[in-house]
Amino acid sequence: MRPTTAYQILAVPIGATREQIDNNYRKLAIKYHPDLYPDDKYALKKFKQITEAYEILTSRVARKNYDESLNNRKTKYPRIDYWRLCRNLKKKRRRRR
């Protein structure tokens, strides 16, 4: 499922608090930061998407306008499988013995 809204890009529910948005933004920004992957064009594109979505959802006015534009599309909010997206954010770490 490709993310189509700012909520899906940051893997947060529609009524997300500022803390949830900040936490998921930090996790994703660290994961796709261009300084960590200088030659990866996908990471750069993904980082720009994440930053744009974060700017929309953290500004009260921009978020209100964004939510209204989603409602004006005459469709329901896209289905967000919140828990699956959050599970994918966590990195699996293996212990070396």
Side-chain angles (χ1 to χ4, degrees):
M1 178 173 87
R2 288 186 178 175
T4 58
T5 66
Y7 295 104
Q8 290 177 329
I9 291 170
L10 291 179
V12 294
I14 291 181
T17 63
R18 177 71 184 250
E19 292 174 1
Q20 290 174 323
I21 294 169
D22 287 342
N23 287 339
N24 283 6
Y25 170 72
R26 286 185 191 113
K27 288 177 187 177
L28 290 170
I30 289 170
K31 185 175 179 179
Y32 293 106
H33 201 280
D35 289 344
L36 297 175
Y37 308 103
D39 298 331
D40 191 2
K41 292 181 182 180
Y42 175 76
L44 178 63
K45 179 181 174 185
K46 191 75 172 171
F47 184 76
K48 287 180 181 179
Q49 277 185 332
I50 292 165
T51 305
E52 182 180 333
Y54 178 74
E55 289 173 359
I56 291 170
L57 295 181
T58 53
S59 170
R60 289 184 185 182
V61 175
R63 185 173 181 175
K64 181 180 175 186
N65 293 337
Y66 184 75
D67 289 342
E68 288 176 1
S69 71
L70 284 177
N71 287 334
N72 290 339
R73 292 183 190 173
K74 296 183 180 181
T75 60
K76 294 183 179 179
Y77 288 111
R79 183 172 167 264
I80 299 174
D81 195 355
Y82 175 71
W83 297 110
R84 182 174 56 126
L85 292 172
C86 289
R87 185 176 59 231
N88 291 338
L89 291 177
K90 296 179 182 177
K91 291 183 179 179
K92 294 182 180 180
R93 295 183 182 177
R94 295 182 181 178
R95 293 185 180 180
R96 293 183 181 182
R97 293 184 179 183

